[in-house]
Amino acid sequence: MSTLAHTVERTIVLPAGPAEVWDAITDECLLGEWLADYVELDPREGGELRCRYEDGEERRGEVELVEEAERLAFHWQREGSGPSRVEFIVDAVAEGTRLRVIETSLAGPTMLAAAWAPRLRSLRLLLGRLVLA
C-alpha cells in the first residue's frame, strides 16, 4: 500500500436547489437512500458518523467541518483500512446545484474512484424523485 495520500474528486450537477442537496447530504434518512443502507449522522463539528452497508461493511467517522448549506467534511474509515477525508461542496448553478465530492485517502485510487460514481447516480435519482413529489 502506498504511503502517499490519494485524492479523488467527483462533480455532479443535480436537479434540485442547494437546500435540497444540503438536506440530502446531512439528513440520515436521505443519506440512507444513496450513501449507505443505514446511516447515523450528527451533522455538527465533532458529530459522529456511522454507515453500514448491505454486505455488512461498516464505516465510522467524525464530522470535521460544517459550513451550513455550503460545505460538509468528515473523516471516516472502515475496519482494516486507513482513514479518508470526505468533503462535500454545494454551489448553486443555473441548472440546479453543483455538488463536488473530494475524498483523500491513503488507501489508493482504485477503491475511491469506483465508489463515488454509483452513489452520485443514486443521489441524482433521489433528488429527481423529491423534486417531482
Side-chain angles (χ1 to χ4, degrees), residues 1-128:
M1 179 184 326
S2 171
T3 58
L4 298 175
H6 180 80
T7 298
V8 170
E9 182 172 337
R10 296 287 185 253
T11 301
I12 187 169
V13 175
L14 298 162
E20 289 84 10
V21 172
W22 183 254
D23 287 346
I25 64 173
T26 59
D27 180 274
E28 294 172 327
C29 292
L30 295 176
L31 284 164
E33 294 200 35
W34 70 272
L35 182 63
D37 297 298
Y38 173 79
V39 178
E40 290 178 13
L41 173 66
D42 179 359
R44 299 177 295 160
E45 291 179 12
E48 291 185 28
L49 168 67
R50 182 175 164 208
C51 297
R52 190 171 49 237
Y53 300 87
E54 189 175 272
D55 65 3
E57 177 187 334
E58 188 169 285
R59 292 182 183 221
R60 292 180 178 261
E62 182 177 306
V63 175
E64 172 189 310
L65 173 73
V66 178
E67 293 176 4
E68 190 69 30
E70 294 179 8
R71 187 180 303 247
L72 174 72
F74 56 85
H75 288 88
W76 67 351
Q77 79 178 74
R78 65 175 168 225
E79 191 173 318
S81 70
S84 64
R85 180 181 189 272
V86 176
E87 183 173 10
F88 294 115
I89 302 168
V90 178
D91 292 307
V93 295
E95 303 84 9
T97 302
R98 179 178 51 235
L99 177 65
R100 287 179 40 213
V101 180
I102 304 165
E103 185 167 13
T104 302
S105 175
L106 297 176
T110 304
M111 192 175 335
L112 294 181
W116 285 109
R119 289 181 179 146
L120 293 176
R121 282 192 300 271
S122 294
L123 176 58
R124 179 191 302 275
L125 292 171
L126 168 67
L127 288 167

